Amino acid sequence: MPTVLGIHSNVAGENNGFSSGHAWITVTKNSVTQAYGLWPDGHPRTVDNGPKTDIRIGLEGTRFPAASRFFKLNASQEVSLNIELKKIIGWTYTNTCASWASDVVYTVVGVDVDADDWAGFETPRELGRHIVALEKANPTTVKMPVALQHKQSSW
């Protein structure tokens, strides 16, 4: 089974508040799925790890996505993903879980899963809305991901 990159939001659309929700990615390899999300040190579910990365592993285990999209990775995309996951990234109001997830997908597969919301802030609700639109046009699952070889715009 190929490595599959998923992008997820637990909210989708205008009915959710501007600061509602969470976004994250998953990596499925050899039928094992691992979740990665960007979480601030001050969040009750995290431990302040100082200057280390705010990419947290496995905190999304209890969250259920409202929207998900899946991408089949080739060998070079898998290398790119591994590089992204090893970076030291900090959560800020302008670098949120949604912007990080969107950036990882764009860097790895070249698809802009847009998270830009009001005033340029990137939010899980906008990411979820965009995932829903992409899925409506071309549905995916972890077992039937979209395969892209070259960067392309999706919006």
Side-chain angles (χ1 to χ4, degrees), residues 12-17 117 125-126 129:
E14 300 301 323
N15 293 334
N16 297 287
D117 206 315
R125 76 175 181 181
E126 181 61 20
R129 187 183 74 77

Side-chain angles (χ1 to χ4, degrees), residues 72-154:
K72 179 180 175 183
L73 302 185
N74 63 32
S76 65
Q77 291 166 331
E78 197 169 339
V79 168
S80 179
L81 173 64
N82 290 332
I83 290 168
E84 290 302 305
L85 294 176
K86 291 177 183 169
K87 289 183 176 179
I88 296 177
I89 305 291
W91 186 98
T92 66
Y93 289 107
T94 57
N95 189 45
T96 65
C97 57
S99 56
W100 176 77
S102 176
D103 289 348
V104 169
V105 168
Y106 182 76
T107 300
V108 174
V109 298
V111 173
D112 180 12
V113 184
D114 183 38
D116 291 329
D117 206 315
W118 181 80
F121 286 100
E122 295 176 295
T123 65
R125 76 175 181 181
E126 181 61 20
L127 182 74
R129 187 183 74 77
H130 193 185
I131 291 170
V132 167
L134 291 170
E135 286 293 300
K136 188 175 183 181
N138 181 18
T140 64
T141 67
V142 71
K143 292 184 178 182
M144 294 184 60
V146 64
L148 303 168
Q149 300 302 320
H150 304 287
K151 291 191 176 202
Q152 69 179 49
S153 175
S154 65

